Amino acid sequence: MTVLGLDHVSVSVANLDRSLAFYRDLLGIHVHGTGTEESPSVAVVVGVDRARFRYGDLDLGDGRILELLEYLSPKGTPHRPNVYDPGSGHLALRVDDLDAVLRRLKDAGIEPRSPPVELEEPVWWSGARVVYLTDPDGVTVEPVERRADGPSRRGTAGPPRGHSVTMHRIQAWDHAVVTV
């Protein structure tokens, strides 16, 4: 048995339209599709009888999906874990111009948690510029700008040769973290 890679990441949201305005309109991530799901098979997968939700599937590049789910039944309870709480995590999105992304977000009234930081270690992070910010539901989002001449990381090269991903500022999924 072999894990072949990351397929998708799912985030439960309070309001799908508000979250699409953030991820699609502000960050420029292409939407594959939206809809409502209430099939018995989905209820079995999520382990919730009569689960019903609206979804938005966003293209993170290289075949990876960010799945936004607004549960209509049952309704969830908002929570905002700290980045150091077990089970918490963040979404890291590769961008081509961190300063431009931050200007766009600032124009929309969204401030990062700190100024951008250029990392030096470990070696595979050398030269990467990163910053944390918060999406409308409190999810930590980390735009990551890597230098073109920086060290490569296995599995982060982007789409296969001959393919391209068109996104305004988001280039690809960078990494996923869950705190344990």
Side-chain angles (χ1 to χ4, degrees):
M1 181 206 77
T2 302
V3 174
L4 301 176
L6 180 67
D7 184 81
H8 71 278
V9 172
S10 180
V11 176
S12 294
V13 301
N15 181 301
L16 181 60
D17 297 324
R18 180 182 69 182
S19 293
L20 287 172
F22 178 82
Y23 288 100
R24 177 195 59 212
D25 301 341
L26 289 177
L27 295 180
I29 304 174
H30 173 75
V31 177
H32 273 304
T34 61
T36 301
E37 181 61 64
E38 56 188 314
S39 71
S41 60
V42 169
V44 170
V45 170
V46 300
V48 177
D49 288 337
R50 297 189 223 11
R52 184 171 180 258
F53 55 82
R54 293 177 61 212
Y55 67 88
D57 286 344
L58 288 79
D59 180 2
L60 293 174
D62 202 20
R64 292 174 180 89
I65 301 292
L66 172 59
E67 178 183 70
L68 302 175
L69 302 178
E70 175 189 350
Y71 276 84
L72 304 172
S73 176
K75 280 288 198 186
T77 303
H79 67 96
R80 294 189 180 232
N82 294 303
V83 295
Y84 49 82
D85 289 335
S88 69
H90 67 268
L91 302 175
L93 302 170
R94 180 88 47 93
V95 300
D96 60 358
D97 185 341
L98 182 59
D99 295 324
V101 169
L102 293 176
R103 279 192 302 275
R104 180 184 285 179
L105 292 168
K106 184 174 183 160
D107 289 346
I110 299 167
E111 293 288 336
R113 295 183 191 168
S114 69
V117 172
E118 184 169 324
L119 302 175
E120 297 176 18
E121 292 187 45
V123 68
W124 54 86
W125 281 101
S126 180
R129 292 180 64 229
V130 302
V131 66
Y132 273 10
L133 52 103
T134 305
D135 88 348
D137 289 291
V139 173
T140 299
V141 177
E142 178 188 20
V144 178
E145 177 186 288
R146 293 184 181 273
R147 292 190 329 230
D149 64 340
S152 65
R153 294 188 321 147
R154 188 175 180 180
T156 62
R161 180 169 281 143
H163 294 79
S164 65
V165 176
T166 303
M167 297 183 208
H168 296 290
R169 294 283 179 221
I170 304 299
Q171 289 182 315
W173 178 258
D174 192 78
H175 66 277
V177 171
V178 175
T179 305
V180 294

